[in-house]
Amino acid sequence: MNAQSLSRYRAQWFSGAGNARRDILAGMVATFALIPEVIAFSFVAGIDPEVGLFASFMIGIVIAFTGGRPAMISGAAGSVALVAAALVHSHGLQYLLAATLLAGLLQIAFGLMKLDVLMRFVSRSVRTGFVNALAILIFSAQVPQMLNVSWHSYAMIAGGLAIIYLVPRVTTVIPSPLICIVILTAISLVFPMPIHTVADLGRLPASLPSFTLPAIPFEWETLKIVAPYALAMAAVGLLESMMTASVVDDLTETTSSKAQECTGLGLANVAAGLFGGIAGCGMIGQTVGNVRYGGRGRLSTLVAGLFLLVIMVPLRPWVAQIPVAALVAIMIMVSISTFSWGSFRDLALHPKVSGVVMLATVVVTVATHDLSAGVAVGVLLSGVFFAFKVTRLMRVTSHHDEEADTRTYTVSGQIFFASADIFADQFDLRDTVRRVRIDLTASHFWDVTAVGALEDVVTKMRHHGIAVEVVGLNEASAILVDRLAPNVGGAIP
């Protein structure tokens, strides 16, 4: 790490007492928003809540130092839990711990090889769809906590939302979600009422996490069982973390090292696996909440992890009394602030294909509860629409010089696998002219399919006795054609 990088790293930890205070308070709010989702996804994965909570503590501590995106909250939640569920149900917790370790190692390798560049293939429309789908899923996750409950719960949720949105008009010294938790907890203790508390969500940790190795046979058969799940967990975790980091980049108008975030997440998941936890990833709801309430540096991430341990063990009896309604109110606020409301306007202003990509990402993600599936569909549609767009821009015109009995084909646009067949169909292979001149000055050949189409056209025309001359290839295209189709001839003008 050079002097400039070291200076930047220090600034990410401390950039003034005021920023430090905001980081600490925002990290505390993020912790309370973290608890219900971690517990909920622990049940989805088929593990005890303490496994997810211990993992979130370890991930938060490690990634605060090693991650590439300051102010990002990561924990044991998200689609990773959905992938892990099948392994837990079929082979148990110990195999999950082994898969967590392997997933972390794969993520470290991913970061070291700088494969984060693959995120460049994720368009803005896909990212918007990802954010909107997450907001919908965050809200829908609160619905079970609002069904079959007493009117007291609805009143507490409404009161919590009022506190969250009205307090900032009076003061922003203390984040309003934290005030919401304190006030609603005090009300429920002073005026006992039939409402759910955090204690009702599941067993909370009663001790600190301890170092442990998976109790499994270290043999080839075990690797064959664990590897497919580890690969899926690593891929899904990286996808969610990279998308979350991009969202924070937009919110804070800053940049971050995605490769370092990949490596940092891998190290964090290895630590989680060694201390009896499940793999995790970036959590967009909690991250957005952290940023919205002033979290900007690594300190907010560290506080979120440390505070989780503090309130889960020493303050466990008090935390157990927090009304679930307070947490629901916070998550509703997060879902509202996460949703990109401007995307409704963009549907009317942006090209229709962008709207289709965004909506497809949302629909698939919400229908499957699988972020990777939604993003995969969005990326695929973006690629297909882009290929069609570029293909339509490719043109071939012809002109016949009767005096020289020469037909000149002028090609413009990009020739690649999606436009190669259309390119080839523009030529009359049984033309009766004596000579054909193919002018490629305004075109570019990208791949073997494009070169193959050119070679087929030239070869078939020559087979019918037509003299063919290829001119105007730019340097890159000429090198590709000469290497793949040396018999074309006349490739270089």
Side-chain angles (χ1 to χ4, degrees):
M1 182 179 293
N2 56 39
Q4 184 178 3
S5 298
L6 182 60
S7 177
R8 187 185 306 114
Y9 185 77
R10 288 174 178 170
Q12 291 172 352
W13 275 104
F14 184 78
S15 57
N19 290 334
R21 178 183 59 81
R22 285 190 290 270
D23 277 345
I24 292 173
L25 293 177
M28 293 169 66
V29 172
T31 299
F32 284 108
L34 189 77
I35 295 171
E37 189 167 341
V38 170
I39 293 177
F41 276 102
S42 295
F43 282 117
V44 170
I47 57 179
D48 290 331
E50 64 180 7
V51 176
L53 291 169
F54 281 159
S56 298
F57 161 70
M58 294 304 304
I59 292 171
I61 298 298
V62 175
I63 208 165
F65 293 93
T66 63
R69 174 64 262 179
M72 196 162 113
I73 305 299
S74 299
S79 298
V80 175
L82 300 176
V83 175
L87 178 60
V88 174
H89 294 156
S90 60
H91 292 87
L93 175 61
Q94 296 303 315
Y95 279 80
L96 173 61
L97 299 182
T100 296
L101 291 174
L102 182 56
L105 294 175
L106 291 172
Q107 289 169 337
I108 293 173
F110 190 97
L112 293 177
M113 291 188 291
K114 309 292 185 183
L115 296 182
D116 59 289
V117 295
L118 296 176
M119 275 297 296
R120 295 175 183 174
F121 294 96
V122 181
S123 67
R124 187 179 184 87
S125 298
V126 176
R127 295 182 186 181
T128 302
F130 169 85
V131 169
N132 289 346
L134 255 294
I136 294 171
L137 291 179
I138 290 170
F139 182 84
S140 64
Q142 312 313 309
V143 173
Q145 303 297 339
M146 295 186 285
L147 298 177
N148 301 318
V149 295
S150 65
W151 67 267
H152 305 81
S153 296
Y154 294 114
M156 293 286 271
I157 293 173
L161 289 171
I163 293 171
I164 289 171
Y165 285 107
L166 295 179
V167 166
R169 298 187 178 185
V170 179
T171 178
T172 57
V173 175
I174 301 176
S176 59
L178 198 55
I179 297 175
C180 166
I181 290 172
V182 173
I183 292 179
L184 294 191
T185 302
I187 291 174
S188 66
L189 293 176
V190 175
F191 304 101
M193 58 187 77
I195 59 174
H196 293 299
T197 63
V198 170
D200 299 321
L201 297 178
R203 188 177 68 183
L204 299 175
S207 61
L208 297 175
S210 58
F211 181 84
T212 180
L213 290 174
I216 57 171
F218 290 91
E219 55 188 22
W220 180 250
E221 290 301 319
T222 301
L223 181 61
K224 289 198 295 185
I225 293 172
V226 169
Y229 293 98
L231 181 60
M233 291 165 65
V236 169
L238 288 173
L239 178 61
E240 288 197 47
S241 291
M242 293 300 96
M243 295 294 286
T244 303
S246 297
V247 170
V248 179
D249 288 350
D250 292 338
L251 288 175
T252 61
E253 298 181 350
T254 58
T255 58
S256 59
S257 172
K258 304 301 186 298
Q260 184 180 343
E261 184 64 31
C262 295
T263 304
L265 180 63
L267 292 170
N269 281 331
V270 168
L274 291 175
F275 282 84
I278 183 178
C281 60
M283 302 173 67
I284 190 168
Q286 288 69 19
T287 298
V288 170
N290 181 43
V291 173
R292 295 289 188 197
Y293 285 94
R296 290 295 184 273
R298 294 178 180 272
L299 183 60
S300 63
T301 305
L302 180 65
V303 168
L306 286 175
F307 193 57
L308 177 62
L309 183 67
V310 169
I311 65 177
M312 283 294 98
V313 181
L315 301 181
R316 180 169 173 263
W318 293 98
V319 174
Q321 299 301 316
I322 296 175
V324 171
L327 304 181
V328 170
I330 293 174
M331 295 308 293
I332 290 176
M333 176 276 297
V334 170
S335 67
I336 292 174
S337 61
T338 299
F339 195 90
S340 177
W341 299 100
S343 60
F344 289 115
R345 180 192 68 251
D346 294 340
L347 286 175
L349 298 178
H350 290 182
K352 292 182 179 180
V353 292
S354 297
V356 170
V357 170
M358 189 273 285
L359 292 174
T361 304
V362 172
V363 170
V364 174
T365 301
V366 173
T368 63
H369 283 232
D370 188 342
L371 294 168
S372 61
V375 172
V377 169
V379 171
L380 179 61
L381 285 177
S382 295
V384 171
F385 289 147
F386 174 76
F388 275 121
K389 182 177 180 180
V390 174
T391 298
R392 289 198 301 268
L393 297 176
M394 193 276 297
R395 295 182 59 193
V396 179
T397 59
S398 65
H399 170 72
H400 182 221
D401 183 348
E402 295 183 0
E403 184 177 345
D405 196 17
T406 300
R407 187 178 302 280
T408 300
Y409 289 93
T410 302
V411 184
S412 62
Q414 311 300 311
I415 318 299
F416 62 114
F417 65 90
S419 59
D421 288 342
I422 298 176
F423 163 78
D425 291 342
Q426 306 304 308
F427 297 87
D428 183 1
L429 302 181
R430 294 181 176 273
D431 203 339
T432 57
V433 298
R434 193 164 58 88
R435 298 183 60 201
V436 165
R437 188 171 184 267
I438 303 176
D439 186 354
L440 303 172
T441 304
S443 64
H444 186 91
F445 281 71
W446 286 98
D447 55 22
V448 63
T449 306
V451 175
L454 176 63
E455 184 179 29
D456 287 343
V457 168
V458 173
T459 301
K460 290 176 181 179
M461 283 186 171
R462 287 175 176 170
H463 179 73
H464 288 94
I466 302 173
V468 182
E469 180 186 13
V470 179
V471 299
L473 276 171
N474 58 43
E475 183 178 358
S477 299
I479 292 173
L480 187 65
V481 170
D482 284 345
R483 186 171 74 248
L484 298 178
N487 294 328
V488 166
I492 301 177

